[in-house]
Amino acid sequence: MRVRGRWAVAAVLAAAVSGWPTPASAGTSGTTPSRPGEPGSNGRACAAGADRPYVTTRTPVLAVRQSAPGGGQNLTTTFAWWPIDGTSGGAGRASRSAGNPAVVAVDVPEGLLADGGTYAWRARTFDGTRHGPWSDRCEFAVDATPPQQPAGVTSTDYPADAPAGGVGVPGQFVVSPPELRPEEVVAYAWTLDSGVGPAGAATVPADAGTHGATLTIAPSRDGILTLRVWSKDRAGLFSTPATWTFHVKAAGNPQPARPLTPTISFPDGNTVEQGGTLSVRLDAGGDKSVTQFRYSVGAPTLNLTAAPNEPGGYAVVQVPVGNVPGSRSVYAVANDGAVDSLLTAAGIQVRNLTVLNGRVLDITTFLPVPDATVRLEPGGYRTTTSVEGEFSFRTSEVPPGLYTVITSHGGCSREEGPYEVDGQGLTIDLLLFPDQCGQATIR
């Protein structure tokens, strides 16, 4: 499931919600306070969109520098924050008074922000008579929970049950992504040194498709070694480590010859709908020593086997892909009855049966809106929300493309987008403003 942010949602403007501050008109004479400068979210510079910072606390500090021409008087700056990208609740405001100029800051109160939520904020200054302009819009995402540890670490080059390899002999170690929220992992930290923690360990980027990683490591000594691997998320938090203990052969112990690494291909293409079955071809490449293939989907467990149709030939297997949409890998090795080849992998795509889905919400209450009409243009594709405010368009109904989403209910209509519909699945929340019917268009 592809999600914009976590949820693709209409940008919620603070001025549209009852009780949130709205910009005041500048005075007709004299001077107004300056636009607050140097905004920061918990010590991170102001940014929005893909560049928004992650904060590791649910009570971040929002700060700006307040000022007004002339100096001298006491000023009050009000901070307003609100949820975006499908986050529910958490809106609020707080004020601080200080001199002119001065850096002022507020702590977002405990219990308002959700772990995993995304928020926007602005600030403006009041001199007792006039309000100044709003600051630039800043955004931040809350990530207060470390990622889950890797689901596993395996190696056919350095197995756990027998001495293998040798000093200086490189081997591959496959890191499987966490089972929960694998898309949040951006890198893996690893080390063979028991005295090194994750912050001082080497790192390797997570694969953008599978969210796992492959390490190539040449051990510097023989004997029993333990590889520790940590997940690292976008906020810089580390998981607990996953481990792989293996035995490096001493010098002078020759290694057996390996079979050729097999090739993986997909006779019917590498894309299949969720719940379907994919044809996978494993080819020995003419290596007649190969007696079987070992393979798996999603993680390199290699728990499935297939025999080639003839010495040096191939096998075609039917692989159930499950009901979770997204990208994953097929892993395979060739085996000659005693020794595995090097591991290989190829990516597949599990397509969502639902191309676009979500909810329609009343912005004043954040309650679902039943019987609302959701229409996609161009094309006029339409559906009606359920009693829970939910809607969906199936892949078979809507071709890929850019669509404007028009939501209407009880004479109130709202246009959002365009959104890219590409068959991978997109979830959005659509917000209706009952007090501003027919006035709002978000792009």
Side-chain angles (χ1 to χ4, degrees):
M1 177 74 66
R2 181 169 55 87
V3 182
R4 181 167 300 191
R6 272 189 192 236
W7 299 84
V9 138
V12 181
L13 301 178
V17 179
S18 176
W20 289 2
T22 56
S25 300
T28 56
S29 63
T31 60
T32 61
S34 302
R35 182 189 303 274
E38 304 174 23
S41 305
N42 215 52
R44 307 287 185 90
C46 177
D51 296 325
R52 68 171 69 103
Y54 286 84
V55 300
T56 57
T57 174
R58 294 172 63 188
T59 58
V61 177
L62 311 180
V64 296
R65 177 178 290 276
Q66 65 179 13
S67 63
Q73 75 269 44
N74 201 52
L75 302 174
T76 298
T77 293
T78 297
F79 297 78
W81 59 90
W82 64 95
I84 60 173
D85 284 1
T87 303
S88 297
R93 58 181 174 178
S95 299
R96 288 291 182 271
S97 297
N100 177 20
V103 173
V104 289
V106 297
D107 297 83
V108 176
E110 181 71 46
L112 288 182
L113 305 187
D115 190 9
T118 307
Y119 302 86
W121 66 274
R122 294 182 188 268
R124 66 174 177 174
T125 303
F126 182 63
D127 64 5
T129 303
R130 293 169 292 273
H131 285 96
W134 286 99
S135 68
D136 293 337
R137 169 177 164 141
C138 304
E139 298 176 4
F140 63 88
V142 179
D143 185 354
T145 303
Q148 191 180 50
Q149 72 177 41
V153 181
T154 58
S155 176
T156 57
D157 297 330
Y158 285 97
D161 55 359
V167 175
V169 177
Q172 290 183 329
F173 296 81
V174 178
V175 182
S176 298
E179 295 178 356
L180 295 177
R181 304 185 303 276
E183 70 281 355
E184 295 184 3
V185 177
V186 298
Y188 295 93
W190 65 272
T191 185
L192 293 173
D193 187 340
S194 61
V196 173
T203 60
V204 61
D207 182 88
T210 66
H211 309 298
T214 299
L215 310 176
T216 300
I217 302 173
S220 59
R221 65 177 180 86
D222 58 23
I224 296 176
L225 303 179
T226 296
L227 172 64
R228 292 183 297 153
V229 183
W230 297 265
S231 305
K232 181 180 180 181
D233 69 11
R234 295 167 291 193
L237 299 175
F238 292 98
S239 70
T240 56
T243 62
W244 181 255
T245 300
F246 57 99
H247 191 167
V248 180
K249 284 183 180 180
N253 194 346
Q255 299 187 62
R258 291 182 182 276
L260 289 177
T261 302
T263 59
I264 302 174
S265 59
F266 306 100
D268 301 322
N270 71 337
T271 301
V272 63
E273 290 188 345
Q274 60 187 129
T277 300
L278 191 69
S279 292
V280 180
R281 175 177 167 134
L282 309 171
D283 199 316
D287 186 347
K288 296 184 178 182
S289 71
V290 174
T291 60
Q292 70 171 356
F293 302 102
R294 300 199 300 130
Y295 66 98
S296 57
V297 179
T301 55
L302 305 178
N303 58 316
L304 303 172
T305 60
N309 64 330
E310 61 182 8
Y314 65 90
V316 177
V317 295
Q318 303 301 313
V319 177
V321 298
N323 291 312
V324 180
S327 58
R328 65 200 66 173
S329 291
V330 175
Y331 299 89
V333 297
N335 184 277
D336 63 6
V339 178
D340 283 338
S341 70
L342 293 176
L343 181 72
T344 189
I348 64 173
Q349 287 288 334
V350 180
R351 189 170 55 196
N352 202 314
L353 286 173
T354 302
V355 72
L356 177 64
N357 66 83
R359 299 174 298 169
V360 175
L361 302 174
D362 183 324
I363 189 61
T364 60
T365 63
F366 276 96
L367 293 176
V369 180
D371 297 320
T373 298
V374 181
R375 189 173 84 251
L376 305 184
E377 293 292 350
Y381 308 103
R382 68 175 60 212
T383 188
T384 303
T385 58
S386 67
V387 293
E388 292 83 16
E390 298 175 343
F391 69 92
S392 64
F393 293 91
R394 294 179 65 86
T395 304
S396 58
E397 299 172 334
V398 180
L402 287 175
Y403 292 92
T404 296
V405 182
I406 302 169
T407 311
S408 57
H409 182 265
C412 181
S413 181
R414 186 173 178 82
E415 177 181 320
E416 302 180 23
Y419 292 116
E420 182 179 6
V421 172
D422 56 9
Q424 297 183 36
L426 177 64
T427 298
I428 60 176
D429 280 353
L430 302 172
L431 308 179
L432 281 176
F433 291 71
D435 295 334
Q436 297 183 349
C437 289
Q439 298 178 14
T441 299
I442 288 186
R443 295 188 184 277

